[in-house]
């Protein structure tokens, strides 16, 4: 990598970087530290500090362990379903077929819709008697009396479907960006060697877009892991804690119950989970860079 | 370069303007009405504006600034804002959360102000269960502005069609179930029920514990919470009986629609009743009566007139042993951080003027005895509502009420939707709740 | 044959993408709750009329617009500058740069109470600048990262030529890098617009003043203890989603080009 000729102790880059950096420090890090510190304060208005009671209580609770498991299912479900579809869509999109030009603007719309609006639309679609999603689920499951938001697995499927629907556009964009950087000659050379399109995808497209995939997955994971507002609006965490992912629990503790210490403790779990996912993705990203 | 400087100046200007705007002295009134969100909100907002106009006329130097917070979050917001040092003056609050407000200390003690009232005024206001609930350990945290109570509303025409006497509605739970069985009908003969006898709600919201579980629990002789030990005690024998009753309505008698466990309380109770899909709706709130009038099912009752009468619907008090339904209201409080409590209380007094309370759409039924004495209220309809209001009970004195409500709703759903064992399920949820708030 | 298959597949994807929105529009045009088909049997504009006939709606829309545009004004130049510095110079910022991608992992709900306290101390609580600053801080890590990648794609030779002509660093940024990085800046614009306009959680936690409400809050306001007016709610929702959709559609070409610049070295 070639860089600008730099004198030692040059001030220009610092000047350019500092405004954005200080915005982050001032409006994110400064409130974040006491925010997370709250996790180590025992609950109630006169809490003691430091204390691990929030953690021991949370981990001792069956409901919270289930909250964490549901979060994992939610993230894996969304990332796992959105990625393959996004690959197909991005391959179609980058093909530059004139008759498909129109599709791009439609395909990317879900990402633009406000989450509160789309989750309420989905809730309406899964509503007992009039919803089209209810009808679809009844057809798939073969149970004519199925009420999706009253069955924990179908309710979970609904929140995953909603996030999947929102995530595919973002993922598609990232992957399409990656695919566009692959030189045409690679594919042409492979084609003359007689590689099938599946082989070409596996040996050329996939390795060369792995970096984009990692970043796309990271963003979707971050969004899904912290997503409280859409699940809260769609199912309220129900039925019987069946869709209460950790983020929804956090939202309820903070905004319904006023238990800010427990909320902060749950927040630290989410942060840790997010970091684990990030390390996982970045490891594959490194490998991808090494193969380049 | 020039553009940048311009932008910088613009940002600074916005900042200064906003700070300047905050500096002017105003009375901050936090309420729950979003005038864009449907007719009921609009109506109440208009009423609030009227009160404010009156207040501002009396206090020309202190304009009111309205603050709007979602109805089910306003109590928690008052608490978190208190912790964050954010000031409000007047706040709408719910009686259910008074123990939590007491513990957090985010509301001002109104005792010194209320003690200046004449005994007539106090007597006029202090009869409702909410009035008592708004005082915690001798500290008056709020003043009720209405009475929200619930009972069973039924379709007179459907009663007649099913051979039941609308003048003689069910008086106990057995009669209720029997009537509901007769009212449940498949009108078009396709093998599916079209009219359900009894509307109940067992969804993921507070209404589940308040309107269904608690009245049944009281009926069977149980309680939700023990104030002495600070423990939830709903997983008792009466608790199991209450859950069984609800479960039976859906699964055994099939008088309650199977979708009673999802959506919101209004989606499940109000809407199907208005559509004629439910013949008796348990848990009908008096703040909903206006739609009955609009539909022509009652006439001249909302707002009350001397000629008021029931046309297509009737009401009867929840037919449990205790006749008790959950009863609350919107109450009004002063935030602890208020810098002008005197003025804030004078705003509350404006709200409490009889002429304002009488026309407050969200009051439900009047909170002042003197209004009840008027002749417009001397009819069968309001007699039943008065009876319900007087027999009403508040929610228990736990500082963790919201969590208690969610816990019970989840336990109920687990029993009804997953056919889990009632006693074990209630016990597990109760233990988790008690462990969460055990003193270390 | 193959082409037809592609076309069909794409049509399916697009169908799934827009179907929920069509359902929302349908509900907003239906007088009451109604079972069944995507096409309502009776169409009414009543729900829209009730909303747009209130002056308050325009007030909220203006607040949403001020917050969104304000955040754009903050984020776009800052992320361009920071992205440029990260792409072109070897300095301490490079060491903290990997953290940029970690920031989106921090759950914002955790620190809303400390954030309110902090903004209250600064005298900014319950104001539009509070929303602008918090939203900007929320968007900036990803935007800086996007701009850094984009500046990488701008040929260095152009800048070197500029330097030889005696341009200063700043005018270099203004005259040469900015025009080249324009699609990247558009990508940032669309990203910020969508994120900020749609944001509910900051508006919910940081503003209560009736005059400072934004549109997503009004949508949620419909869910309540009175009968939820689904028609009105959906009408409000459709009105709320229109501006980001319009902005996205009109800047789409640049946005996609900007995203394509991602990660190319």
């Amino acid at each position: 990598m070639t860089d600008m000729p730099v004198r030692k102790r040059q001030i220009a880059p610092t000047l350019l970087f500092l405004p954005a950096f200080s915005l982050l420090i001032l409006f994110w890090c400064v409130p974040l530290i006491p925010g997370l510190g709250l996790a180590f304060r025992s609950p109630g208005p006169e809490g003691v500090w430091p204390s691990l009671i929030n953690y021991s209580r949370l981990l001792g609770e069956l409901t919270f362990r289930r909250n964490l498991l549901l979060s994992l299912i939610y993230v894996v479900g969304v990332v796992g379903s959105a990625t393959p579809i996004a690959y197909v869509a991005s391959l179609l999109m980058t093909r530059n077929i004139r008759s498909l030009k129109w599709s791009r603007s439609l395909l990317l719309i879900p990402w633009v819709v406000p989450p509160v609006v789309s989750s309420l639309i989905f809730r309406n679609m899964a509503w007992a008697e009039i919803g089209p999603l209810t009808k679809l689920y009844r057809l798939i499951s073969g149970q004519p009396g199925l009420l999706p938001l009253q069955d924990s697995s179908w309710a979970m499927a609904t929140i995953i479907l909603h996030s999947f629907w929102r995530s595919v556009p973002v993922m598609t964009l990232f992957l399409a960006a990656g695919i566009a950087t692959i030189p045409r000659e690679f594919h042409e050379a492979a084609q003359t060697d007689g590689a099938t399109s599946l082989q070409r995808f596996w040996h050329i497209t996939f390795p060369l877009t792995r970096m984009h995939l990692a970043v796309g997955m990271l963003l979707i994971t971050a969004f899904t892991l912290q997503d409280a507002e859409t699940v809260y609006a769609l199912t309220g965490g129900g039925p019987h804690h069946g869709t209460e992912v950790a983020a929804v629990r956090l939202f309820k503790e903070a905004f319904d119950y006023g238990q800010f210490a427990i909320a902060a403790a749950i927040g630290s779990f989410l942060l840790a989970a997010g970091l684990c996912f990030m390390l996982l993705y970045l490891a594959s990203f490194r490998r991808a860079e090494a193969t380049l | 370069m020039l553009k940048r400087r311009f932008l910088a100046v613009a940002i600074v200007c916005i900042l200064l303007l906003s700070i300047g705007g905050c500096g002017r002295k105003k009375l901050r009134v936090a309420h729950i009405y979003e005038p864009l969100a449907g007719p009921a909100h609009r109506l109440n907002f208009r009423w609030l504006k009227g009160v404010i106009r009156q207040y501002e006329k009396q206090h020309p130097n202190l304009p009111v600034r309205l603050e709007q917070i979602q109805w089910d979050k306003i109590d928690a917001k008052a608490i978190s804002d208190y912790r964050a040092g954010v000031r409000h003056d007047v706040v709408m609050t719910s009686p259910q959360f008074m123990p939590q407000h007491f513990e957090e200390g985010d509301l001002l003690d109104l005792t010194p102000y209320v003690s200046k009232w004449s005994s007539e005024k106090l007597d006029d206001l202090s009869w409702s269960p909410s009035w008592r609930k708004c005082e915690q350990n001798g500290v008056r945290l709020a003043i009720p502005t209405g009475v929200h109570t619930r009972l069973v509303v039924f379709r007179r025409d459907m009663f007649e069609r099913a051979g039941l006497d609308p003048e003689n509605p069910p008086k106990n739970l057995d009669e209720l179930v029997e009537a509901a069985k007769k009212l449940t009908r498949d009108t078009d003969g396709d093998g599916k029920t079209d009219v359900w006898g009894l509307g109940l709600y067992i969804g993921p919201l507070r209404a589940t514990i308040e309107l269904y579980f608690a009245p049944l629990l009281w009926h069977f002789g149980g309680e939700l919470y023990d104030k002495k030990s600070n423990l939830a005690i709903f997983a008792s024998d009466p608790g199991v009986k209450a859950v069984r009753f609800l479960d039976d309505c859906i699964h055994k008698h099939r008088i309650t629609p199977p979708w009673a466990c999802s959506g919101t309380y209004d989606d499940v109770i109000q809407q199907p009743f208005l559509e004629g899909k439910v013949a008796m709706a348990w848990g009908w709130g008096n703040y909903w009566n206006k739609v009955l009038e609009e539909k022509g099912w009652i006439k001249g009752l909302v707002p009350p007139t001397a000629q008021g009468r029931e046309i297509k619907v009737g009401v009867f008090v929840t037919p449990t042993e205790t006749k008790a339904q959950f009863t609350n209201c919107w109450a009004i409080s002063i935030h602890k951080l208020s810098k002008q409590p005197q003025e804030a209380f004078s705003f509350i007094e404006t709200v409490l003027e009889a002429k304002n309370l009488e026309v407050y759409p969200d009051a439900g039924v009047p909170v002042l005895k003197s209004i009840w004495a008027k002749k417009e209220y001397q009819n069968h309809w309001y007699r039943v509502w008065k009876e319900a209001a007087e027999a009403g009970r508040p929610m228990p004195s736990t500082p963790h009420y919201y969590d208690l409500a969610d816990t019970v709703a989840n336990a109920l759903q687990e029993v009804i939707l997953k056919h889990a064992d009632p006693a074990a399920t209630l016990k597990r949820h109760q233990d988790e709740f008690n462990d969460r708030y055990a003193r270390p | 044959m193959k082409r037809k298959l592609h076309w069909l597949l794409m049509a399916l994807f697009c169908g799934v993408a827009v179907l929920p929105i069509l359902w929302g529009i349908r509900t907003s045009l239906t007088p009451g709750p109604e079972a069944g088909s995507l096409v309502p049997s009776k169409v009414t504009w009543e729900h829209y009329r009730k909303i747009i006939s209130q002056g308050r709606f325009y007030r909220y829309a203006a607040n949403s617009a001020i917050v969104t545009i304000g955040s754009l004004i903050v984020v776009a130049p800052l992320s361009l500058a920071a992205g440029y510095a990260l792409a072109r110079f070897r300095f301490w910022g490079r060491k903290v740069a990997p953290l940029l991608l970690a920031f989106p992992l921090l759950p914002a709900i955790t620190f809303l109470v400390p954030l309110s306290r902090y903004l209250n101390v600064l005298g900014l609580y319950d104001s539009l600048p509070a929303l602008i600053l918090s939203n900007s801080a929320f968007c900036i890590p990803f935007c800086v990262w996007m701009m850094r990648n984009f500046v990488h794609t701008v040929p260095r030779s152009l800048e070197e030529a500029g330097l030889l002509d005696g341009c200063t660093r700043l005018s270099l940024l203004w005259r040469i890098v900015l025009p080249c990085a324009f699609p990247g800046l558009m990508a940032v614009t669309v990203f910020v617009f969508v994120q900020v306009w749609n944001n509910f959680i900051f508006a919910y936690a940081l503003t209560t003043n009736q005059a400072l409400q934004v549109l997503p809050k009004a949508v949620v306001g419909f869910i309540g203890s009175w009968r939820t007016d689904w028609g009105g709610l959906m009408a409000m929702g459709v009105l709320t989603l229109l501006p980001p959709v319009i902005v996205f559609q009109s800047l789409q070409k640049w946005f996609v080009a900007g995203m394509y610049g991602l990660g190319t070295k």
Side-chain angles (χ1 to χ4, degrees):
Chain A
M1 190 178 290
T2 52
D3 286 311
M4 280 269 144
V6 182
R7 278 170 282 137
K8 273 212 170 150
R9 303 215 157 258
Q10 194 180 21
I11 195 135
T14 304
L15 275 183
L16 287 170
F17 188 64
L18 210 56
F21 190 66
S22 47
L23 188 69
L24 261 181
I25 297 290
L26 280 177
F27 290 96
W28 205 322
C29 298
V30 171
L32 181 71
I33 292 159
L36 285 177
L38 215 58
F40 299 98
R41 182 187 216 70
S42 65
E46 291 110 29
V48 198
W49 201 94
S51 148
L52 282 175
I53 190 157
N54 297 314
Y55 288 94
S56 64
R57 276 189 182 168
L58 278 174
L59 287 173
E61 204 182 81
L62 179 70
T63 305
F64 182 67
R65 293 200 296 269
R66 209 192 294 148
N67 295 154
L68 289 179
L69 180 69
L70 286 175
S71 275
L72 188 71
I73 295 175
Y74 188 34
V75 170
V76 172
V78 172
V79 175
S81 57
T83 309
I85 299 290
Y87 253 121
V88 178
S90 58
L91 283 171
L92 287 175
M93 225 168 89
T94 44
R95 225 153 250 229
N96 247 337
I97 303 169
R98 180 161 297 189
S99 61
L100 288 182
K101 271 269 156 66
W102 53 271
S103 64
R104 188 191 276 159
S105 37
L106 290 180
L107 194 67
L108 300 180
I109 281 185
W111 175 63
V112 184
V113 177
V116 283
V117 176
S118 65
S119 52
L120 288 172
I121 291 180
F122 270 69
R123 175 164 143 191
N124 193 247
M125 293 205 309
W127 176 238
E129 301 302 326
I130 50 175
L133 264 181
T134 309
K135 285 186 184 152
L136 182 71
Y137 288 158
R138 284 176 177 176
L139 209 67
I140 295 172
S141 68
Q143 305 169 14
L146 179 77
L147 297 163
L149 294 185
Q150 282 185 202
D151 181 301
S152 47
S153 351
W154 286 102
M156 200 64 208
T158 309
I159 66 167
I160 291 178
L161 181 72
H162 173 249
S163 270
F164 159 82
W165 179 78
R166 292 192 65 83
S167 306
V168 166
V170 187
M171 201 62 166
T172 305
L173 268 179
F174 272 90
L175 293 176
I179 292 169
T181 60
I182 302 174
R184 196 171 284 270
E185 301 85 61
F186 284 25
H187 280 286
E188 279 159 8
Q191 219 155 10
T192 48
D193 288 350
T196 65
S197 50
L198 204 66
Q199 279 173 326
R200 271 185 288 141
F201 173 77
W202 193 246
H203 293 289
I204 301 171
T205 314
F206 181 67
L208 288 176
T209 49
R210 231 197 277 177
M211 186 172 68
H212 300 81
L213 184 65
V215 176
M217 281 165 86
L218 182 70
L219 276 187
I220 291 178
T221 304
F223 171 75
T224 317
L225 204 56
Q226 295 167 30
D227 172 33
E229 51 181 293
T230 74
V231 181
Y232 189 84
L234 229 166
T235 65
H240 51 80
H241 296 309
T243 55
E244 198 186 78
V245 294
V248 168
R249 177 75 187 276
L250 165 56
F251 187 88
K252 284 185 178 173
E253 294 285 353
F255 294 127
D256 289 344
Y257 309 158
Q259 298 293 323
F260 305 107
I262 291 188
I266 300 173
S268 65
F269 274 105
L270 286 182
L271 177 59
L275 285 174
C276 288
F277 276 109
M278 181 169 144
L279 291 177
L280 192 77
Y281 297 147
L282 286 190
S284 62
F285 163 77
R286 288 262 158 68
R287 267 216 310 283
E289 248 188 351
T291 56
L292 271 175
Chain B
M1 210 40 212
L2 210 87
K3 214 167 193 171
R4 276 249 187 118
R5 198 166 294 160
F6 172 74
L7 293 181
V9 170
I11 292 169
V12 169
C13 282
I14 294 175
L15 286 174
L16 283 179
L17 273 176
S18 69
I19 293 167
C22 295
R24 227 178 121 209
K25 214 173 152 199
K26 280 184 179 175
L27 189 78
R28 303 180 183 191
V29 176
H31 68 103
I32 56 161
Y33 305 114
E34 170 49 70
L36 272 182
H41 277 277
R42 202 147 45 235
L43 211 63
N44 283 293
F45 189 76
R46 216 172 289 153
W47 171 83
L48 188 61
K49 280 286 206 187
V51 174
I52 287 168
R53 262 195 302 279
Q54 187 192 337
Y55 177 81
E56 283 177 342
K57 222 178 262 167
Q58 293 156 359
H59 300 78
N61 298 324
L62 191 64
V64 169
R65 193 184 88 172
L66 282 178
E67 302 178 317
Q68 185 231 314
I69 301 163
Q70 230 171 291
W71 70 279
D72 56 343
K73 306 271 188 288
I74 193 164
D75 290 273
K77 182 80 174 162
I79 291 169
S80 70
D81 278 355
Y82 174 66
R83 287 203 178 182
V86 174
R87 172 173 81 89
H88 303 276
D89 293 312
V90 177
V91 192
M92 282 176 76
T93 47
S94 318
Q96 293 100 301
F97 297 105
M98 288 307 149
Q100 191 175 3
H101 286 302
F102 178 77
E103 197 175 278
E104 298 278 348
D106 62 309
L107 298 181
L108 195 74
D109 183 4
L110 302 178
T111 318
Y113 301 94
V114 173
S115 62
K116 285 183 200 145
W117 282 355
S118 66
S119 60
E120 295 99 66
K121 187 167 182 179
L122 208 60
D123 189 48
D124 207 8
L125 198 63
S126 61
W127 61 279
S128 72
S130 301
W131 172 265
R132 292 187 293 278
K133 186 71 201 286
C134 289
E135 187 174 286
Q136 293 287 320
N137 303 7
V139 177
R140 171 141 303 278
L141 296 170
I143 295 165
T145 60
V147 179
H148 283 189
T149 193
R150 290 89 180 164
L151 40 61
V152 188
V153 63
F154 68 97
R155 285 280 294 270
R156 289 170 164 273
D157 50 339
M158 288 184 182
F159 260 54
E160 275 163 13
R161 216 174 304 145
L164 296 159
D165 180 10
E167 305 309 324
N168 213 352
K171 286 191 188 55
N172 55 47
L173 289 182
D174 293 333
E175 282 180 34
L176 183 78
V177 170
E178 285 316 308
K181 279 184 188 165
K182 286 187 191 148
L183 289 163
T184 303
R185 288 177 49 196
D186 171 14
T187 47
D188 53 10
D190 62 351
K192 284 186 201 157
T193 306
D194 302 298
V195 179
W196 298 88
L198 182 63
L200 297 169
Y201 172 72
I202 310 146
L205 296 177
R206 279 178 355 217
T208 296
I209 188 175
E210 293 167 351
L211 314 187
Y212 305 94
F213 184 72
L216 285 166
L217 187 70
W218 295 329
H219 168 81
F220 291 112
E223 282 296 334
L224 287 162
Y225 193 81
D226 179 45
K227 199 169 180 229
K228 274 204 197 95
S229 58
N230 276 320
L231 291 173
I233 50 164
F234 59 83
S236 53
D237 195 38
V240 173
K241 282 185 189 154
V243 184
R244 283 245 166 81
F245 179 85
L246 294 170
D247 190 31
D248 284 350
C249 286
I250 296 177
H251 290 123
K252 198 169 136 202
H253 312 310
R254 296 175 188 277
I255 50 176
T256 296
W259 31 264
C261 302
S262 60
T264 56
Y265 154 59
D266 46 304
D267 284 339
V268 172
I269 298 298
Q270 191 194 34
Q271 189 62 36
F273 184 75
L274 294 177
E275 286 172 37
K277 286 187 195 155
V278 164
M280 295 189 284
W282 172 320
W284 183 274
N286 50 15
Y287 36 89
W288 284 347
N289 286 342
K290 196 172 163 47
V291 289
L292 296 178
E293 180 88 30
E294 279 163 6
K295 238 180 138 77
W297 287 1
I298 52 175
K299 210 164 172 165
L301 287 169
V302 182
T305 61
Q307 295 80 38
R309 62 203 161 94
E310 300 161 27
I311 299 197
K312 231 173 156 182
V313 299
V315 283
F316 59 94
V317 177
T318 314
T320 55
E321 236 7 76
T322 55
K323 295 194 179 300
Q325 246 299 356
F326 166 60
T327 299
N328 69 331
C329 61
W330 280 110
I332 190 161
S333 310
I334 299 179
H335 203 235
K336 191 63 111 5
L337 297 178
S338 169
K339 284 183 192 150
Q340 38 212 356
Q342 197 63 51
E343 288 82 353
F345 194 76
S346 138
F347 183 85
I348 291 181
E349 297 231 61
T350 312
V351 170
L352 292 179
E353 279 177 27
K355 68 171 198 281
N356 287 332
L357 282 185
E358 202 176 348
V359 293
Y360 179 25
D362 208 4
V365 292
V367 69
L368 296 181
K369 258 193 208 158
S370 52
I371 301 180
W372 279 103
K374 291 188 168 181
K375 72 169 187 303
E376 295 94 300
Y377 290 89
Q378 310 312 317
N379 51 41
H380 174 257
W381 175 265
Y382 278 105
R383 261 197 300 282
V384 178
W385 279 111
K386 182 94 190 285
E387 194 190 340
E390 281 169 343
R393 290 190 192 177
M395 280 290 117
S397 273
T398 163
H400 312 293
Y401 171 67
Y402 211 130
D403 193 5
L404 180 72
D406 278 2
T407 304
V408 169
N410 281 306
L412 260 55
Q413 291 199 326
E414 207 167 309
V415 173
I416 289 166
L417 297 175
K418 281 175 78 185
H419 308 290
D421 174 55
T425 311
L426 285 181
K427 180 85 172 62
R428 181 167 64 79
H429 282 82
Q430 175 178 298
D431 288 349
E432 274 195 1
F433 175 85
N434 285 336
D435 287 348
R436 261 201 297 279
Y437 301 109
R439 298 260 171 233
Chain C
M1 183 58 212
K2 204 172 172 188
R3 183 160 285 199
K4 223 170 219 162
L5 188 77
H6 286 163
W7 198 90
L8 272 176
L9 204 59
M10 208 60 184
L12 179 75
F13 286 169
C14 293
V16 173
V18 294
L19 207 65
I21 295 163
L22 292 180
W23 179 262
I25 294 172
R26 178 215 102 108
T27 310
S28 73
L29 293 174
T30 320
E34 182 185 336
S37 64
L38 194 59
V39 185
S41 57
K42 215 173 115 202
V43 170
T44 172
W45 292 98
E46 194 53 21
H47 301 302
Y48 288 96
R49 204 191 53 77
K50 271 186 194 150
I51 293 170
I52 58 175
S53 63
Q54 291 189 66
R56 189 167 298 280
F57 169 72
Y58 303 96
R59 177 72 155 280
Y60 291 7
N63 288 337
S64 276
I66 291 171
V67 173
T68 308
I69 293 167
S71 306
L72 265 176
I73 291 173
V74 175
V75 173
L78 294 194
S79 57
L80 176 65
Y84 178 75
L86 286 178
R88 287 286 190 260
F89 298 97
R90 210 178 277 280
F91 73 116
W92 59 274
R94 283 251 174 114
K95 290 197 190 85
V96 293
L99 281 178
L100 290 178
L101 279 179
F103 268 99
L105 294 171
L106 302 170
I109 355 174
T110 325
F111 58 91
L112 285 177
V113 174
L115 184 64
S116 347
R117 175 199 293 274
Y118 177 63
L119 287 169
N120 191 44
V121 170
L122 295 180
L124 285 174
Y125 182 82
D126 208 1
S127 68
L128 294 182
L131 290 184
I132 292 174
L133 288 169
S134 353
N135 274 309
S136 303
F138 184 76
C139 289
I140 212 154
F142 186 67
C143 290
V144 170
W145 187 80
M146 236 169 10
M147 283 317 295
R148 181 198 80 127
N149 290 334
F150 208 85
V151 175
H152 272 310
T153 66
V154 177
R156 182 177 301 279
S157 48
L158 280 175
E159 278 174 67
E160 275 154 10
L163 270 184
L164 288 180
D165 287 350
C167 282
T168 64
R169 266 284 144 67
L170 215 58
S171 61
L172 208 65
L173 191 61
W174 186 247
R175 295 241 172 84
I176 294 167
V177 180
L178 186 68
C180 292
F182 185 72
L185 215 52
M186 282 299 115
V188 166
T189 304
V190 172
F191 179 81
V192 171
F193 194 98
V194 169
Q195 292 298 322
V196 179
W197 183 278
N198 292 350
N199 179 281
F200 165 75
I201 209 88
F202 285 129
Y204 168 74
L206 304 178
T207 51
T208 49
N209 193 337
Q210 187 80 44
L212 300 180
Q213 303 293 312
V214 292
L215 288 177
K217 263 181 96 176
V219 177
V220 177
F222 273 86
I223 300 287
S225 54
W226 296 290
R227 179 172 40 153
T228 304
D229 171 13
W230 281 101
L233 189 153
M234 289 303 170
M236 193 71 209
V238 169
L239 290 171
T240 307
L241 71 82
L242 274 182
V245 168
I246 291 170
V247 166
F248 177 73
Q249 294 299 353
S250 48
L251 297 181
Q252 196 232 119
K253 200 175 104 200
W254 296 110
F255 180 65
V256 173
M259 290 297 268
Y260 279 12
L262 269 181
T264 45
K265 291 212 168 171

